């Protein structure tokens, strides 16, 4: 019930506020909101992978699949980018299952899973750099067309992008909240806490790991589609590059991995902050350093993110044992 | 395609020379993993830092990389030791992803600090012995050869240190069972810091060595990250000789792939091999 109240009285007004600001506010604010929402979606995807204890350093691969599918289907095959919302999740699910199924089967877990996913993203990046179909290092450039919903391009106002991102975010979040009230979430918790013990008591860890990585890949690829449609330019560096991985995982780490609203909170902290730094100092370099510092401080202050920190403090105050995830 | 023995041998040697550096970094990483079960993501970024310090010593004081080698080794041992003591030790016992994220953050900070200080331009160190040697029709690049010799010797020395001395025995004991090692009177925390320092010193050495034959830029460590992790996984975790062998193997594969498939895909093939090995033989090619 608590979850429902939070959703109706906090999340919905928040969304309406964002919509209002992006329709009537300056276009730059709208862009910041869009980027925050986009990375929040990607980060929610990443966090779902973490639910089953799978720390991925290669979510840029799924992000890149979304971006490239949208770009290639529009630029090369002249079909509406909306088909990417069907194709990209399919491809990324296949890829995620292809990676996770054998690794769950043969006991690749913990840091090795992270390295595996990192290698996957690297393989994809280097392949796309050399592949004519994906436009090599130049990437894929969209032709600029007038505003239209079918072409998924809006130039006079960026607010429709925000609206579409909000729809995807809301679907993803409600899925996540629903999931937390079912048996599945217990499967995830036991799998991530101790995979061997979970197997010993008869939990099908393989199923939960594959499920979590498939869901995670689907949501992250959606965010990639949004990215491609907004920037209208996709290249191996900006869609699958090493720093994309950091951009995807940072909001969840800052906000809180295991709470549904954590990535959203983190994204709305980090992205406006980075935008501010870009305006003040200009250098791309400096805000990567700040990202690194934020990552390191979060590891020491609270590995469960700001929301985790908050619940820890409030439960201490009320004297209730916090739910240790 | 006609088989050309000279070309084949040249590729083989280039691969072996490159593989020696992988082997050296891989031994350091596998040492850290073996003792502490920590994946040090910042390892290759520290290597880049070492390369830049070497470059600076060369450019400012005209110190030859081979002279600054021992100094860098000592410096990075100290850096690794202190880094472990002050930043990783508090995280022991926390969820394992904490150290992964920490080292990722540290590598971001260092890489971009390098970018800020030295800018993105590639820098070159010109050692006095630069040049190449004709050997039965083969072109052998002298700096590469020297770095090969140094890397191989240091990797083997590390192996000897770990297997033949009492300190090495303490480290290997901690690898096998830290509680038992603790009960035997081994100062486990000291072993952690010491092996982290030693691993980092290996990264420092590798940084000096790549200076000899690569133009260095702040992103030079990126391809090394996944490659060296492939080396330690293929070698079998905590298996030093395995790491050395698979370093050579992956180096050779990389060079052959670069020649026959194209230099853009030079890393794709070894990485694919890494993925396949990890999925099919998670204990490594030389593991039990």
């Amino acid at each position: 019930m608590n979850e429902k109240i939070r959703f109706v009285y906090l999340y919905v007004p928040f969304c309406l506020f964002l919509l209002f600001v992006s329709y009537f506010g300056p276009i730059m604010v709208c862009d910041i909101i869009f980027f925050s929402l986009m990375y929040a979606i990607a980060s929610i995807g990443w966090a779902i992978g973490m639910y089953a204890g799978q720390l991925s350093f290669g979510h840029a691969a799924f992000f890149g699949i979304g971006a490239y599918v949208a770009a290639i289907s529009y630029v090369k095959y002249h079909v509406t980018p909306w088909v990417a919302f069907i194709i990209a999740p399919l491809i990324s699910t296949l890829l995620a299952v292809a990676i996770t199924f054998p690794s769950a089967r043969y006991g690749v877990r913990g840091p090795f899973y992270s390295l595996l996913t990192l290698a996957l993203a690297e393989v994809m990046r280097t392949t796309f750099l050399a592949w004519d179909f994906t436009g090599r290092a130049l990437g894929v450039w969209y032709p600029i067309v007038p505003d239209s919903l079918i072409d998924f391009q809006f130039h006079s106002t960026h607010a429709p992008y925000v609206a579409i991102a909000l729809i995807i975010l809301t679907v993803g979040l409600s899925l996540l909240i629903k999931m937390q009230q079912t048996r599945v979430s217990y499967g995830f918790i036991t799998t991530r806490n101790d995979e061997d013990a979970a197997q010993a008591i008869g939990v099908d860890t393989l199923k939960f790991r594959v499920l979590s990585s498939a869901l995670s890949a689907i949501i992250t690829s959606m965010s990639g589609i949004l990215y491609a449609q907004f920037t209208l330019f996709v290249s191996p560096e900006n869609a699958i590059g090493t720093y994309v991985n950091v951009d995807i995982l940072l909001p969840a780490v800052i906000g809180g991995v295991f709470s549904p609203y954590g990535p959203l909170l983190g994204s709305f902290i980090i992205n406006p902050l980075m935008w501010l730094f870009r305006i003040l100092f200009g250098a791309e370099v400096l805000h990567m350093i700040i990202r690194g510092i934020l990552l390191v401080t979060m590891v020491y202050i609270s590995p469960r993110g700001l929301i985790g920190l908050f619940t820890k403090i409030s439960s201490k105050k009320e004297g209730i044992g916090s739910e240790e995830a | 395609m006609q088989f050309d023995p000279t070309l084949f041998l040249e590729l083989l040697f280039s691969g072996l020379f490159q593989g020696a550096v992988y082997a050296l970094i891989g031994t350091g990483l596998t040492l850290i993993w073996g003792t502490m079960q920590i994946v040090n993501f910042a390892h290759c970024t520290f290597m880049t830092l070492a390369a830049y310090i070497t470059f600076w010593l060369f450019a400012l004081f005209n110190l030859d990389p081979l002279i600054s080698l021992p100094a860098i080794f000592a410096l990075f041992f100290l850096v690794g030791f202190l880094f472990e003591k002050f930043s990783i030790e508090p995280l022991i016992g926390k969820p394992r992803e904490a150290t992964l994220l920490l080292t990722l953050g540290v590598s971001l900070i260092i890489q971009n600090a390098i970018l800020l200080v030295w800018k993105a331009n590639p820098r070159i160190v010109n050692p006095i012995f630069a040049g190449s040697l004709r050997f039965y029709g083969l072109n052998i690049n002298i700096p590469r050869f020297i770095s090969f010799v140094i890397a191989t010797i240091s990797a083997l020395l590390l192996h000897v240190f770990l297997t033949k001395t009492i300190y090495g025995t303490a480290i290997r004991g901690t690898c096998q069972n830290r509680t038992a090692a603790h009960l035997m009177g081994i100062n486990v925390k000291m072993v952690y810091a010491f092996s982290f320092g030693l691993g980092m010193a290996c990264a420092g050495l590798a940084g000096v060595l790549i200076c000899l034959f690569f133009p260095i830029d702040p992103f030079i460590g990126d391809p090394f990250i996944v490659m060296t992790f492939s080396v330690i996984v293929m070698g079998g975790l905590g298996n030093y000789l395995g790491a050395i062998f698979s370093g050579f193997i992956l180096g050779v594969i990389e060079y052959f792939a670069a020649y026959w498939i194209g230099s853009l895909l030079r890393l794709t093939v070894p990485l694919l091999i890494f993925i396949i090995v990890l999925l099919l033989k998670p204990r490594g090619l030389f593991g039990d």
Side-chain angles (χ1 to χ4, degrees):
Chain A
M1 207 55 204
N2 194 9
E3 230 18 280
K4 200 169 185 178
I5 291 169
R6 208 178 290 166
F7 190 83
V8 173
Y9 290 102
L10 275 175
Y11 178 72
V12 172
F14 176 68
C15 289
L16 292 176
F17 170 73
L18 289 185
L19 264 183
F20 179 80
V21 172
S22 49
Y23 268 99
F24 299 105
I27 198 155
M28 208 188 94
V29 176
C30 176
D31 287 2
I32 297 173
I33 291 174
F34 173 77
F35 269 98
S36 309
L37 287 172
M38 189 191 81
Y39 282 120
I41 297 168
S43 205
I44 286 174
W46 181 82
I48 292 181
M50 283 292 281
Y51 275 43
Q54 309 186 98
L55 173 68
S56 159
F57 277 155
H59 258 54
F62 305 122
F63 191 80
I65 286 176
Y68 267 98
V69 167
I72 288 174
S73 61
Y74 184 68
V75 177
K76 293 225 157 122
Y77 296 106
H78 309 289
V79 284
T80 161
W82 290 99
V83 297
F85 281 104
I86 301 164
I87 301 172
L90 275 179
I91 298 178
S92 39
T93 310
L94 277 180
L95 190 67
V97 172
I99 279 293
T100 315
F101 184 80
S103 55
R105 179 73 189 71
Y106 294 108
V108 178
R109 53 178 82 147
F112 296 101
Y113 186 81
S114 316
L115 292 176
L116 187 69
T117 48
L118 180 73
L120 175 75
E122 264 315 276
V123 166
M124 244 184 78
R125 191 177 65 88
T126 48
T127 314
F128 280 23
L129 268 176
W131 197 8
D132 275 327
F133 182 66
T134 55
R136 293 178 173 255
L138 276 179
V140 186
W141 297 72
Y142 280 77
I144 308 290
V145 296
D147 291 16
S148 94
L149 191 63
I150 294 175
D151 288 328
F152 204 158
Q153 283 191 30
F154 309 97
H155 302 291
S156 53
T157 165
H158 285 163
Y161 285 120
V162 172
I164 294 165
L166 273 175
I167 293 171
I168 297 173
L169 179 74
T170 311
V171 172
L173 260 182
S174 19
L175 191 89
L176 204 60
I177 293 167
K178 268 277 170 294
M179 199 178 70
Q180 285 205 327
Q181 296 159 348
T182 61
R183 286 168 54 98
V184 179
S185 72
Y186 293 102
F188 284 154
I189 293 172
T190 44
T191 306
R192 78 162 171 264
N193 280 346
D194 192 336
E195 209 171 314
D196 290 324
Q199 275 166 0
I201 56 170
V203 175
D204 191 354
T205 55
L206 186 123
K207 187 179 86 184
F208 288 114
R209 282 186 61 178
V210 171
L211 180 69
S212 91
S213 70
L215 275 179
S216 137
I218 289 172
I219 295 182
T220 307
S221 71
M222 300 252 180
S223 145
I225 300 172
L226 289 176
Y227 179 78
Q229 292 304 321
F230 188 82
T231 51
L232 300 176
F233 159 57
V234 177
S235 80
E237 278 316 313
N238 75 1
I240 328 177
T242 326
Y243 286 159
V244 180
N245 288 320
V246 180
D247 283 333
I248 291 175
L249 64 85
L250 200 53
V253 172
I254 288 176
V257 178
F258 297 128
S259 39
Y261 298 104
L264 188 63
L265 175 74
S267 188
F268 271 91
I269 291 173
I270 182 97
N271 284 303
L273 193 70
M274 286 305 133
W275 217 273
L276 192 72
F277 271 102
R278 208 169 291 160
I279 295 165
L280 290 180
F281 304 109
E284 182 78 17
V285 178
L286 200 64
H287 56 106
M288 282 322 290
I289 295 183
I290 290 161
R291 269 171 234 209
I293 292 172
L294 277 175
L295 198 55
V296 170
T297 29
M298 280 323 290
V299 168
Y300 285 111
I301 298 174
S302 160
R304 295 272 176 265
L306 288 177
I307 289 188
L309 192 70
F310 179 72
T311 46
K312 205 162 90 184
I313 291 168
S314 62
S315 62
K316 230 179 231 166
K317 236 181 231 164
E318 290 163 24
I320 310 163
S322 69
E323 179 198 351
E324 190 51 51
Chain B
M1 192 190 292
Q2 206 184 339
F3 181 72
D4 181 356
T6 324
L7 177 74
F8 180 80
L9 283 179
E10 271 187 10
L11 283 175
L12 183 70
F13 281 127
S14 308
L16 284 179
F17 294 171
Q18 179 82 17
V21 178
Y22 289 149
L24 180 58
I25 309 174
T27 356
L29 262 181
T30 208
L31 175 66
I32 294 175
W33 165 265
T35 25
M36 314 170 67
Q37 261 82 55
I38 277 176
V39 167
N40 181 15
F41 222 74
H43 207 72
C44 296
T45 326
F46 276 106
M47 180 196 79
T48 318
L49 188 64
Y52 268 93
I53 294 174
T54 316
F55 163 75
W56 224 5
L57 289 175
F58 178 78
L60 295 182
F61 307 108
N62 217 359
L63 268 183
D64 195 82
L66 289 187
I67 300 173
S68 45
L69 196 95
I72 300 261
F73 184 85
L75 176 70
F76 273 75
F77 179 80
L78 198 66
V79 168
F81 191 89
L82 296 177
F83 182 66
E84 202 283 337
K85 264 270 168 270
F86 291 109
S87 59
I88 294 189
E89 209 176 280
L91 291 178
I92 288 176
K94 290 247 178 88
R96 192 180 277 169
E97 71 256 17
T99 47
L100 261 178
L101 292 174
L102 170 78
T103 47
L104 177 71
V106 169
S107 88
L108 271 182
I109 296 172
I110 294 175
Q111 190 176 49
N112 287 285
I114 290 174
L115 199 55
L116 202 66
V117 175
W118 282 291
K119 304 290 180 286
N121 303 342
R123 311 283 186 152
I124 299 171
V125 173
N126 263 323
I128 34 169
F129 43 81
S132 71
L133 202 70
R134 298 286 297 179
F135 184 76
Y136 289 107
L138 290 177
N139 264 320
I140 291 179
N141 184 326
I142 300 175
R144 262 177 191 258
F145 182 68
I146 291 179
S147 83
F148 165 74
V149 172
I150 296 176
T152 317
I153 290 179
S154 1
L156 288 174
L157 272 183
L158 186 65
H159 177 70
V160 170
F161 170 79
L162 288 170
T163 43
K164 298 280 185 260
T165 63
I166 189 165
Y167 303 104
T169 314
I171 291 178
R172 284 186 303 133
T174 316
C175 292
Q176 282 170 3
N177 190 331
R178 67 182 75 172
T179 321
H182 199 70
L183 290 174
M184 292 301 123
I186 294 171
N187 186 347
V188 172
K189 281 187 175 171
M190 206 58 183
V191 166
Y192 281 174
F194 186 80
S195 37
F196 202 92
L198 210 54
M200 205 74 110
C202 285
L205 274 189
V208 178
L209 295 181
I210 56 167
C211 248
L212 292 177
F213 56 88
F214 266 169
I216 51 172
D217 63 64
F219 302 101
I220 195 172
D222 283 2
F224 277 83
I225 296 176
V226 198
M227 272 310 268
T228 46
F229 281 116
S230 323
V231 166
I232 66 166
V233 169
M234 271 179 73
L237 287 159
N239 183 345
Y240 306 101
L241 281 181
I244 297 173
F245 279 129
S246 48
F248 285 127
I249 293 172
L250 281 175
V252 171
I253 290 176
E254 181 190 332
Y255 271 74
F256 277 93
Y259 182 75
W260 273 300
I261 303 175
S263 65
L264 274 173
L265 288 175
R266 60 190 295 171
L267 288 178
T268 315
V269 177
L271 290 184
L272 279 177
I273 292 175
F274 163 67
I275 293 179
I276 294 166
V277 167
L278 191 52
L279 290 180
L280 298 183
K281 247 178 139 339
R283 294 197 168 275
L285 290 181
F286 308 101
D288 39 318

